[in-house]
Amino acid sequence: GYPTVLGGARNGGVYVLNRRGQDKEGKPISLKAVTGELNPFVEQGRNARMGYLDVYYSINPSTTLTINIYPNSSNVPYFSQDIVLNGPSDKGRTWKRLMVNGAANGHQIELINANVNENVTIHALAPWFKPGGKIIYET
């Protein structure tokens, strides 16, 4: 059927996510997506300060999305915020700006929606970066 939603796993596998709302074991599917480490200044040897994160999504006011941002491959986020997917509509979509204000050698963005059977469509993530201090490598 169309559309087919695919998702990648850490093991390198790609899975079809929208068959009957369940995975192959029959468990409901929730959303958890994580970016790689982001730093546009790494080749300059500088860390990055993320000032804002703009999220462009399809409006679904009954849905709440958790956004966590992790520094330097940490398991503890320096930023966490729940956003309701509502707002003024532009063809059923809108932007929401989050004030992050965090510096790190690399930033990982995690999106979570644990409530199954809720449609979540993220069209774009736009982090706003400025160069920070020199990268300090731990030994």
Side-chain angles (χ1 to χ4, degrees):
Y2 173 82
T4 300
V5 178
L6 303 176
R10 290 179 188 228
N11 67 4
V14 176
Y15 300 95
V16 176
L17 297 179
N18 63 340
R19 279 191 235 158
R20 300 174 310 276
Q22 299 173 343
D23 66 11
K24 63 183 178 182
E25 284 90 31
K27 297 177 187 170
I29 297 171
S30 58
L31 167 72
K32 182 174 181 182
V34 181
T35 68
E37 284 201 15
L38 306 173
N39 179 350
F41 311 107
V42 71
E43 289 183 9
Q44 300 169 14
R46 305 190 73 81
N47 68 25
R49 175 170 294 282
M50 186 187 304
Y52 302 101
L53 175 64
D54 291 341
V55 183
Y56 187 51
Y57 55 86
S58 289
I59 294 173
N60 187 348
S62 64
T63 300
T64 299
L65 186 68
T66 300
I67 299 177
N68 296 317
I69 304 177
Y70 298 88
N72 310 326
S73 300
S74 172
N75 293 328
V76 179
Y78 71 84
F79 176 88
S80 183
Q81 186 170 335
D82 292 336
I83 62 170
V84 177
L85 301 184
N86 61 6
S89 177
D90 176 25
K91 298 180 184 176
R93 301 174 181 177
T94 194
W95 286 95
K96 190 166 283 192
R97 174 167 283 179
L98 308 176
M99 184 164 179
V100 177
N101 196 26
N105 295 347
H107 305 260
Q108 280 191 301
I109 302 169
E110 176 183 57
L111 308 173
I112 300 172
N113 179 288
N115 297 325
V116 297
N117 299 322
E118 288 185 349
N119 292 327
V120 177
T121 303
I122 306 299
H123 299 280
L125 296 173
W128 292 73
F129 288 115
K130 285 186 176 183
K134 290 185 179 183
I135 291 178
I136 299 173
Y137 295 99
E138 296 179 18
T139 58

